[in-house]
Amino acid sequence: MSTTEKDGSIVERGASVGIGAGKWPVLDLTSVDASDVCELFQRVFAHPMSAAFQSWKYADGRGMATGMRDDQGRLVAHYGGTLRLMQWGDSRFTGVQVGDVMVAAEVRDVFARFGPFGRVARQFIQQYLGTGCPYPIGFGFPNARHVLLGRRLGLYWPVTQVLAWHWTRSVLSAHALARPVSSAIYQKLDMTKAEDRVLVDRWADEMAASFSVKNMLWPVRGGDWWRHRYSHHPHFTYQIYAVYPSDPTQPCGALVMKVTPAGGWELMDWVGVLPFSYMVLPHAVAICTAADSDGLEMWCTEAVAEYLSSEWTQAATRSVACEVVVNGDHLLGKPIAPLQRSFWLTGGDTDFH
């Protein structure tokens, strides 16, 4: 499929597009620019990005960004990405999770092909993403405005949706539904401990083997990733539980929970043999019920939802949280269109939950 640019040229989807002339240069940003990135975030989103949060995402080689400075040297645009180990079928590679896409309000009148957004986004994509670049795919969770703009400029396209699920307190109190896991034991894990990371690694490997057969695309979990994502997060506190269904010596998987500001819980992520996914909601409900939670929330893609307990998904209210976009229509030489039913993402794969 191709798109037509305003100058009449035809550009293949996922192909490089010339940056063109512009008033201000596009720059690679480094740790030296971190404070300016935080300041721009505050100006654009009207709430702060702490230095610790910016470092958690980008420092120590975890990510990179392009930006634009105006003729006074102020940072006015930013397009960032963090590295994620990914698997598709039996192939593993490093992908990029795009985030912190922002343009200062005073320069959005040139929010077009050669404006700040178009130029920093194209530079980032040309430099890092796709065939012949360091990373074969970029994906992200843009807001509705950026989805439309990205499509119009030929930068990226929606491939699936993230669904938001919510179970009320009254639903959680339906003990008949919770009975299947009434005998389960939940033991907290600590990702700063090597032995607990080994457990998560084992379950992640078992999950990855199942996904290889099913040709699933997913950002790979593991003990080191969970340690960074959940134990080292600068602002949120997460609880990680190993699940022992009946035998206290034989755990079958682990799940990650977070208490929400409203007093409920959010199911963030889990690892285990694939059948564990069918029971993960009843296990999360049992944890919430024991904690007298005010409700349960979860984000996941359609691919994940297919492996969840239908008894519990039918009891939830559901809405579309956001789109998932990718920067091209091929990955590792194969069409990416079928990913609507095979892109495995949960709330833990975002950087803002």
Side-chain angles (χ1 to χ4, degrees), residues 288-307:
C288 288
T289 301
D292 196 27
S293 167
D294 209 31
L296 176 65
E297 301 173 10
M298 180 187 66
W299 278 24
C300 71
T301 51
E302 297 170 83
V304 178
E306 292 183 1
Y307 288 88

Side-chain angles (χ1 to χ4, degrees), residues 90-298:
D90 57 3
S91 298
R92 285 201 171 184
F93 54 92
T94 300
V96 174
Q97 182 171 334
V98 173
D100 300 323
V101 179
M102 45 191 175
V103 177
E106 65 269 19
V107 299
R108 286 182 191 166
D109 58 333
V110 287
F111 221 63
R113 183 184 180 192
F114 296 136
F117 172 81
R119 293 187 62 217
V120 297
R122 280 197 179 88
Q123 178 67 23
F124 187 97
I125 292 170
Q126 288 181 337
Q127 186 171 348
Y128 295 115
L129 306 180
T131 303
C133 293
Y135 310 107
I137 190 174
F139 71 97
F141 308 91
N143 60 35
R145 180 171 181 249
H146 282 145
V147 171
L148 293 173
L149 185 60
R151 294 188 69 169
R152 182 168 67 83
L153 297 179
L155 298 172
Y156 44 74
W157 298 266
V159 68
T160 190
Q161 294 177 327
V162 175
L163 305 175
W165 306 79
H166 182 254
W167 293 265
T168 64
R169 186 187 184 96
S170 61
V171 170
L172 296 185
S173 299
H175 297 293
L177 292 176
R179 280 178 193 149
V181 296
S182 58
S183 62
I185 299 171
Y186 305 98
Q187 180 68 45
K188 284 189 178 181
L189 296 180
D190 181 353
M191 290 298 97
T192 66
K193 296 181 178 179
E195 59 268 29
D196 287 355
R197 295 198 301 274
V198 168
L199 276 176
V200 171
D201 282 339
R202 188 185 79 195
W203 292 318
D205 287 343
E206 292 173 343
M207 204 168 183
S210 300
F211 285 168
S212 174
V213 173
K214 295 181 177 296
N215 210 38
M216 200 80 72
L217 174 65
W218 75 316
V220 177
R221 287 91 166 108
D224 286 341
W225 166 250
W226 272 22
R227 175 175 57 180
H228 173 71
R229 175 65 180 87
Y230 301 114
S231 296
H232 291 174
H233 197 286
H235 302 308
F236 297 146
T237 299
Y238 304 92
Q239 304 291 337
I240 302 177
Y241 296 90
V243 179
Y244 298 76
S246 55
D247 184 344
T249 67
Q250 295 294 324
C252 64
L255 65 157
V256 184
M257 305 284 285
K258 182 184 79 171
V259 177
T260 68
W265 287 64
E266 181 175 1
L267 174 59
M268 298 292 300
D269 201 3
W270 61 91
V271 289
V273 293
L274 201 54
F276 179 66
S277 295
Y278 180 76
M279 293 302 296
V280 75
L281 279 175
H283 287 307
V285 169
I287 292 170
C288 288
T289 301
D292 196 27
S293 167
D294 209 31
L296 176 65
E297 301 173 10
M298 180 187 66

